[in-house]
Amino acid sequence: MTALNPTMKIGKQIMEGLIKHQHMAKHDARKRAVELLKLVGIPNPESRVDEYPHQFSGGMRQRVVIAIALACNPKVLIADEPTTALDVTIQAQILDLMRDLQKKTGTAIVLITHDLGVVANLADRVAVMYGGKVIETGTVDEIFYQPKHPYTWGLLSSMPKLHAKTDKLLAIPGSPPDLSDPPKGCPFAPRCPHAMKVCVGHMPEYTKVSETQKAACWLLDDRAPRVSPPETIGVGGE
């Protein structure tokens, strides 16, 4: 709702980028706006192009925003929390739409989200960030089944499991670092149960785990003690 101008018709908001950046005539821009609404699954796009945001549901407004983002044929689409505040049914529809659009347009999608279920459903490669730093990268299977960084372990452990019989959800104790005064070492060190003295004073370099996976953690150093991931993350494909 906040991404769209409530005083402007949907079509005009899509046409704005086409006219300014693609230098289209208004007639051609309107035609393209209708095509984009149809592409993202808006029914009756010829008439709905002249409606206002309040006349659309939350899921439909999200589709309109995606249409605006796709209007100028981007090579990369950055989707920041694209399913937040949507119910699970609409969320699934938006994810299916993004996957379908990626195949049709060839646009690469960078998905920014805290929802690991969305990541598992949509991503090919994953970059885990903490304290403004990428602390682990890998394929979606590597991150979910063979994670190497304790923060990734904590994230995966905090996901509720359908088969688990427990009344308590696991959480990572402590608070994120103050990025106005960033720490010298690993930003996760104050909250990490396996932190060593070197973690506090020095940020580790990336350790290559495989051709597609790397992590920035002192536990991967040959001199570090051997620490196994918690069983709660289902390592090994469980």
Side-chain angles (χ1 to χ4, degrees):
M1 176 63 86
T2 56
L4 295 169
N5 187 332
T7 69
M8 291 174 61
K9 294 178 180 179
I10 291 298
K12 187 175 181 180
Q13 296 189 58
I14 300 174
M15 291 164 59
E16 193 172 40
L18 293 168
I19 293 171
K20 184 174 181 64
H21 299 294
Q22 301 291 89
H23 309 294
M24 283 189 179
K26 285 187 178 181
H27 177 269
D28 293 332
R30 178 186 170 85
K31 183 178 178 181
R32 177 59 177 158
V34 172
E35 291 174 353
L36 286 164
L37 289 178
K38 184 177 181 179
L39 180 67
V40 297
I42 300 292
N44 305 316
E46 293 83 1
S47 59
R48 304 217 69 179
V49 72
D50 292 318
E51 293 183 355
Y52 290 91
H54 72 270
Q55 295 174 278
F56 290 73
S57 67
M60 289 296 179
R61 286 195 295 267
Q62 190 72 308
R63 289 169 184 262
V64 170
V65 172
I66 292 173
I68 293 173
L70 292 173
C72 293
N73 303 313
K75 292 182 179 179
V76 179
L77 175 66
I78 301 175
D80 190 350
E81 298 287 2
T83 58
T84 297
L86 300 177
D87 64 60
V88 290
T89 302
I90 303 301
Q91 181 181 98
Q93 292 176 5
I94 294 299
L95 292 178
D96 287 342
L97 170 65
M98 292 176 65
R99 189 182 296 106
D100 187 49
L101 290 173
Q102 196 278 328
K103 291 178 181 178
K104 287 181 179 178
T105 64
T107 297
I109 298 175
V110 177
L111 178 68
I112 303 170
T113 183
H114 65 278
D115 190 330
L116 294 179
V118 171
V119 172
N121 194 23
L122 195 64
D124 295 313
R125 287 189 53 78
V126 182
V128 182
M129 294 189 69
Y130 185 83
K133 296 182 181 295
V134 175
I135 49 92
E136 183 169 6
T137 63
T139 65
V140 68
D141 284 342
E142 287 170 335
I143 296 300
F144 275 80
Y145 296 111
Q146 298 173 3
K148 300 302 179 184
H149 198 285
Y151 176 61
T152 312
W153 299 348
L155 278 181
L156 295 170
S157 296
S158 67
M159 292 179 64
K161 309 294 190 298
L162 293 176
H163 61 273
K165 296 181 179 180
T166 178
D167 296 327
K168 184 178 180 180
L169 293 175
L170 297 176
I172 301 174
S175 301
D178 179 5
L179 294 185
S180 65
D181 183 22
K184 293 181 180 178
C186 174
F188 188 60
R191 305 175 72 184
C192 180
H194 310 293
M196 301 172 285
K197 185 179 294 185
V198 68
C199 302
V200 178
H202 303 277
M203 181 65 193
E205 298 290 335
Y206 288 110
T207 297
K208 185 177 179 181
V209 180
S210 72
E211 290 300 319
T212 53
Q213 185 180 13
K214 62 181 180 179
C217 182
W218 283 112
L219 290 176
L220 297 174
D221 190 281
D222 293 336
R223 296 163 291 179
R226 299 298 94 187
V227 176
S228 299
E231 296 179 359
T232 49
I233 62 176
V235 175
E238 294 178 6

